[in-house]
Amino acid sequence: MAPIIVAFMSYRFYFILLFLPVAYGDISYSFPEEMKRGSVIGNLAKDLGLETGALSNRRARIDTDETEKRYCDINVNNGELVVADRIDREGLCGEKASCILKHELVLENPLELHRINLHIQDINDNPPEFKEETISIEIHESADRGARFVIEEAHDVDVGQNSVQQYSLQKNDHFILATSGNTVELVLDKELDREKQQDINLVLTALDGGSPQRSGTVVIHVTVLDANDNVPVFSQAVYKASLPENSPVDTVVVTVSATDADEGINGDVTYEFGHVSEDVKKIFSIDPKVGQIRVIGTVDYETTKSFEIRVKAKDGLGLSSYAKAIISISDVNDNAPVVNLKSLTNPIAENTPPGTEVGIINVQDRDSDNNRQVRCSIQQNVPFKLVPSIKNYYSLVTTGQLDRELVSDYNITISATDEGSPPLSSSKTVQLSVADINDNPPVFEEQSYSAYVSENNKPGSTLCSVTARDPDWRQNGTVIYSLLPGEVNGAPVSSYLSVNGDTGVIHAVRSFDYEQFRSFKVQVMARDNGSPPLSSNVTVSVFISDVNDNSPQILYPAPEGNSFMTELVPKAAHGGSLVSKVIAVDADSGQNAWLSYYIVKSTDPGLFTIGVHSGEIRTQRDISESDSMKQNLIVSVKDNGQPSLSATCSMYLLISDNLAEVPELKDISYDDKNSKLTSYLIIALVSVSTFFLTFIIIILGVRFCRRRKPRLLFDGAVAIPSAYLPPNYADVDGTGTLRSTYNYDAYLTTGSRTSDFKFVSSYNDNTLPADQTLRKKFLL
């Protein structure tokens, strides 16, 4: 691609823009110094072939070393490279012929680096200057025509054509001017005569080649003396020395020496600096007697790499000569590397895949050669690494999966060490935060929960509390509790329980009844507030404990007022014989259903006793003739609950050996009142007396037909009408139910249930023998 040259004139100066595509993305621009701030140097977007909007999207910026000033900037909107600060070529580069500023254009995503070389062109903004306003020369009158006297040249900080190009001497009678390169000599054209003229003033003018042309003048004062025909002569035209930077004050750098062949005052030589900059005067001094150049200030290689000092040797009468001292500054590893964070993505999501670039690091070292070579590293205990990119740039990339719940913030220490001797190092800590994503579901503290509640609880009472933890942050870790839909005994679970969505406390919605159901299970869900939300479930088992809220129910005999049942007891019954049994149940459970039986009232208190836990009524002693035929017992049945609940029943016993004594039953009644039942019973007995013998014969005949297998009085199982059994009957062994060793038969008369007889026998040792029992009879 051919160079593109654009020329324009500003303040009568030419501005040349030179863009040369070079290797590795280098861009060069050439423009004059002292351009105004905001002046356009070139268009980077156009020169790089980029879309204008790409500079903004890729975060384009101009980078320099941390120690260097940035003299240009980029307008990311239109891609123009503009002047950002005053550019003084003389202040930046001194007398160097070439003045180049190096900047870097950095583009991100992906990282791209272009070196920008700014060639600063000199303009003629400085006039030539002489070191002194007056130059004094003493010339012996005996000087021959053609004698030459060196005049210190003028100095112009501009370079090239804008520096000093010619000299002119004011017209006079004795001297002409001779120039050769940088040497300016005053040539005696006509002999001097001290007696005619002791002092001569000449005006010397130095002209540069700039446009407009600038000039500087000096007055040469010539004093005519007697003969001094030898000038000091230096031992070397150029003195060279090498000086390490940071050399201590008073270090001797080099010693210059000049001799003068004259004697006396004409041969005394003194030394001084010629025309040097103020910076040189602050760093070096010269001994006027011995010519030693010493260090008096700070020598810094990174500021100036070499010095060129003009040294003047002058004899006692003003004749002088010049030599040059070139001092090279050698580098010392006195600058540690500097780590600069150029770009950082912060925070980064915890699901960022490995290999993702999260930052750009730049490392600078102002030293040179090996002292400038830098190794960059990162500590090993973080999931990040540095990947070398372009030149002294590194990319900070992830090396593993991040987990905010394990580590939420990283302090990444980046260390840089140069290869100097001894090596210097520095470090920079980058703080990087990990942004949360909803990657953890709530987790319950327990695998399952159990709640215990007594029946008849109050609605709204607290049963238990579930707790789930979510290690995520903010809304991703906010847990909300709810019941999963379901049914308990055919009803929605929400009609039994409710859960506080914020605290996880479970409340009862209704009162529970242990006799209806004893336990049930529900599912509680814990859901976070992330997007999308995550959840987990846990099973809560609710156990209902029994409360003694049910009184015992007596199955046999029937409660008072519902039936009239009579047990026949043989007169020959011995003590301990089983007479009858009270059967009761309790709908409660456990100790609330443990029943105890007590005789609270009896016709003859010492005749019968009842088993506390079995309900069996037995004789305490043998029955005697004096005992009343009619015996009435009132039995109380109590459970073992707190407080205890109870029920009572009446048991009617008839002491008789045969049914002939049945008419006496007319007197069986409640002790506290006369019941019509007695009258009805006597009438019934009289009515059926005529049929009694026939009935006995029929019974005997039936039994005879059954292979003569006589049926004992108490042979058979208890026949308890279903109406006696409660629907919520709870079977508790030994607490209100018949033991397996007893069988009972119940025979009911036709019609009223108030005229029933009950016969009981036991298959234990105390059971009455068959010959002492009565056959089962039915009263019509």
Side-chain angles (χ1 to χ4, degrees):
M1 179 177 179
I4 301 174
I5 303 176
V6 181
F8 65 90
M9 180 175 291
S10 173
Y11 301 97
R12 295 186 300 167
F13 296 103
Y14 291 98
F15 166 73
I16 301 175
L17 170 63
L18 177 62
F19 167 64
L20 292 173
V22 296
Y24 308 110
D26 287 6
I27 305 173
S28 297
Y29 293 99
S30 180
F31 60 97
E33 63 175 326
E34 302 293 348
M35 289 182 68
K36 293 181 179 180
R37 290 182 177 88
S39 299
V40 178
I41 299 174
N43 193 301
L44 287 173
K46 180 179 178 182
D47 296 338
L48 291 175
L50 299 174
E51 296 284 343
T52 302
L55 296 177
S56 177
N57 295 335
R58 297 180 64 182
R59 294 190 282 186
R61 63 178 180 274
I62 300 296
D63 266 0
T64 62
D65 290 344
E66 292 294 319
T67 58
E68 295 183 3
K69 191 174 183 179
R70 188 172 63 184
Y71 292 95
C72 64
D73 205 347
I74 184 173
N75 187 332
V76 295
N77 295 324
N78 54 27
E80 291 180 343
L81 185 67
V82 298
V83 176
D85 201 353
R86 175 176 178 263
I87 301 176
D88 182 12
R89 193 202 69 81
E90 290 75 26
L92 294 173
C93 302
E95 298 179 2
K96 292 181 181 179
S98 175
C99 185
I100 300 176
L101 295 180
K102 295 183 179 181
H103 289 46
E104 292 176 340
L105 171 65
V106 180
L107 300 174
E108 297 186 11
N109 196 23
L111 179 63
E112 188 175 345
L113 182 67
H114 297 273
R115 186 182 296 107
I116 302 175
N117 297 324
L118 303 178
H119 297 264
I120 311 302
Q121 300 295 328
D122 183 49
I123 64 173
N124 192 26
D125 57 344
N126 294 283
E129 292 180 354
F130 289 90
K131 179 183 177 182
E132 300 173 347
E133 294 182 356
T134 301
I135 298 176
S136 297
I137 300 177
E138 295 177 345
I139 302 176
H140 200 275
E141 62 180 350
S142 62
D144 296 333
R145 185 175 181 270
R148 294 175 176 265
F149 305 94
V150 178
I151 304 299
E152 184 173 358
E153 72 275 8
H155 181 72
D156 193 329
V157 294
D158 294 325
V159 296
Q161 190 67 24
N162 295 325
S163 64
V164 176
Q165 299 296 319
Q166 58 181 332
Y167 294 88
S168 63
L169 183 65
Q170 180 186 9
K171 188 175 180 181
N172 61 87
D173 295 333
H174 297 279
F175 296 93
I176 60 174
L177 193 66
T179 59
S180 176
N182 291 329
T183 303
V184 180
E185 294 178 315
L186 198 62
V187 181
L188 184 61
D189 187 58
K190 183 181 178 181
E191 290 81 4
L192 300 174
D193 188 353
R194 182 178 178 277
E195 287 69 29
K196 291 182 178 180
Q197 190 176 7
Q198 294 183 3
D199 300 285
I200 301 173
N201 290 322
L202 306 174
V203 177
L204 177 63
T205 302
L207 301 171
D208 61 23
S211 178
Q213 191 176 50
R214 295 178 181 268
S215 62
T217 60
V218 67
V219 175
I220 302 175
H221 180 75
V222 179
T223 301
V224 181
L225 300 175
D226 286 335
N228 179 22
D229 54 353
N230 291 288
V231 297
V233 178
F234 279 98
S235 61
Q236 297 176 216
V238 178
Y239 293 87
K240 294 183 178 181
S242 178
L243 178 67
E245 65 173 325
N246 302 327
S247 294
V249 175
D250 209 31
T251 299
V252 176
V253 181
V254 66
T255 300
V256 298
S257 177
T259 58
D260 193 312
D262 295 325
E263 296 181 353
I265 191 173
N266 294 329
D268 291 338
V269 179
T270 60
Y271 305 92
E272 62 182 42
F273 287 143
H275 186 87
V276 293
S277 66
E278 292 297 324
D279 291 338
V280 173
K281 293 179 182 179
K282 293 178 181 179
I283 299 174
F284 300 102
S285 68
I286 187 169
D287 190 312
K289 296 296 184 180
V290 297
Q292 288 182 340
I293 298 177
R294 296 176 178 270
V295 176
I296 61 173
T298 301
V299 181
D300 187 5
Y301 173 85
E302 287 71 40
T303 302
T304 306
K305 294 177 175 57
S306 65
F307 294 92
E308 188 174 303
I309 303 174
R310 192 170 179 81
V311 182
K312 177 181 179 181
K314 183 175 66 172
D315 62 19
L317 295 180
L319 294 180
S320 60
S321 61
Y322 294 87
K324 184 183 295 185
I326 299 176
I327 303 173
S328 299
I329 308 301
S330 58
D331 184 40
V332 173
N333 191 28
D334 59 342
N335 291 282
V338 178
V339 180
N340 302 306
L341 179 64
K342 294 298 184 180
S343 178
L344 181 66
T345 302
N346 194 15
I348 59 174
E350 60 179 322
N351 62 344
T352 300
T356 301
E357 180 183 86
V358 297
I360 297 175
I361 308 298
N362 176 257
V363 183
Q364 299 286 346
D365 194 317
R366 297 180 60 200
D367 295 320
S368 63
D369 300 331
N370 288 339
N371 296 333
R372 187 183 180 91
Q373 301 300 317
V374 178
R375 299 186 307 273
C376 202
S377 62
I378 193 172
Q379 74 261 39
Q380 299 299 317
N381 58 344
V382 293
F384 300 92
K385 68 177 180 179
L386 288 177
V387 178
S389 184
I390 303 172
K391 195 183 175 183
N392 51 355
Y393 282 84
Y394 295 83
S395 294
L396 181 63
V397 300
T398 59
T399 59
Q401 190 66 46
L402 304 178
D403 190 346
R404 192 204 66 84
E405 288 70 46
L406 295 178
V407 181
S408 60
D409 295 279
Y410 289 95
N411 289 326
I412 305 170
T413 301
I414 300 171
S415 301
T417 304
D418 61 28
E419 296 184 0
S421 181
L424 299 178
S425 62
S426 65
S427 62
K428 186 178 185 67
T429 300
V430 178
Q431 293 183 342
L432 193 62
S433 298
V434 181
D436 184 51
I437 63 169
N438 192 27
D439 58 344
N440 290 283
V443 178
F444 284 95
E445 291 184 348
E446 299 182 18
Q447 294 183 352
S448 63
Y449 291 83
S450 297
Y452 298 89
V453 59
S454 298
E455 63 175 328
N456 305 324
N457 59 291
K458 292 182 179 180
S461 59
T462 299
L463 301 187
C464 68
S465 177
V466 297
T467 303
R469 307 293 182 186
D470 193 322
D472 291 325
W473 195 46
R474 289 185 177 176
Q475 66 180 19
N476 294 334
T478 301
V479 179
I480 300 172
Y481 303 93
S482 62
L483 289 175
L484 289 180
E487 291 186 353
V488 176
N489 285 355
V493 68
S494 58
S495 64
Y496 287 88
L497 300 177
S498 66
V499 62
N500 188 303
D502 297 325
T503 63
V505 176
I506 298 177
H507 301 277
V509 175
R510 63 164 64 173
S511 179
F512 301 125
D513 188 356
Y514 175 84
E515 286 70 42
Q516 291 184 358
F517 56 92
R518 302 182 181 184
S519 65
F520 61 92
K521 294 182 180 180
V522 296
Q523 292 285 323
V524 177
M525 178 179 69
R527 174 181 58 84
D528 60 30
N529 207 24
S531 179
L534 300 177
S535 63
S536 61
N537 302 333
V538 72
T539 299
V540 178
S541 299
V542 180
F543 298 95
I544 303 168
S545 58
D546 184 44
V547 173
N548 191 28
D549 58 345
N550 291 280
S551 300
Q553 295 187 24
I554 299 176
L555 303 181
Y556 178 82
E560 183 178 353
N562 292 335
S563 75
F564 176 66
M565 298 183 181
T566 302
E567 298 287 350
L568 293 181
V569 180
K571 292 180 180 181
H574 297 291
S577 298
L578 178 63
V579 175
S580 183
K581 181 174 182 177
V582 177
I583 303 175
V585 294
D586 195 316
D588 295 321
S589 65
Q591 66 179 8
N592 294 329
W594 295 349
L595 301 182
S596 300
Y597 301 85
Y598 305 93
I599 297 176
V600 297
K601 189 175 182 181
S602 65
T603 302
D604 188 350
L607 182 57
F608 297 102
T609 184
I610 189 169
V612 176
H613 300 298
S614 65
E616 296 177 347
I617 300 175
R618 296 177 180 270
T619 58
Q620 294 191 73
R621 56 179 176 80
D622 295 343
I623 296 176
S624 64
E625 293 295 334
S626 62
D627 291 330
S628 175
M629 181 180 181
K630 299 175 290 182
Q631 296 291 329
N632 185 14
L633 305 179
I634 298 178
V635 178
S636 173
V637 182
K638 294 183 179 180
D639 59 28
N640 199 35
Q642 294 294 331
S644 177
L645 300 179
S646 64
T648 60
C649 66
S650 296
M651 175 67 72
Y652 301 99
L653 302 177
L654 181 63
I655 300 176
S656 176
D657 287 332
N658 56 68
L659 294 180
E661 299 176 355
V662 168
E664 296 183 10
L665 294 175
K666 62 181 179 179
D667 295 331
I668 298 178
S669 63
Y670 297 110
D671 293 341
D672 57 346
K673 63 180 178 178
N674 293 324
S675 175
K676 294 181 180 181
L677 181 61
T678 303
S679 301
Y680 295 152
L681 180 58
I682 294 173
I683 295 172
L685 290 175
V686 173
S687 300
V688 300
S689 60
T690 56
F691 303 100
F692 186 81
L693 293 174
T694 306
F695 178 77
I696 294 300
I697 295 172
I698 295 174
I699 293 299
L700 293 175
V702 172
R703 291 187 176 274
F704 183 79
C705 292
R706 292 181 179 178
R707 299 181 183 179
R708 296 184 179 180
K709 294 178 66 177
R711 184 182 178 107
L712 295 178
L713 174 63
F714 305 111
D715 185 17
V718 176
I720 300 175
S722 61
Y724 285 95
L725 298 177
N728 57 349
Y729 167 70
D731 185 12
V732 181
D733 185 25
T735 58
T737 59
L738 294 178
R739 297 183 181 270
S740 60
T741 56
Y742 298 99
N743 293 322
Y744 296 87
D745 288 337
Y747 297 90
L748 307 182
T749 58
T750 303
S752 175
R753 292 176 57 192
T754 61
S755 58
D756 296 341
F757 284 96
K758 303 296 289 185
F759 303 91
V760 62
S761 67
S762 173
Y763 292 114
N764 57 21
D765 296 337
N766 294 325
T767 302
L768 295 177
D771 57 354
Q772 296 181 14
T773 61
L774 294 178
R775 294 290 182 176
K776 298 176 185 175
K777 304 295 182 180
F778 285 82
L779 297 181
L780 299 180

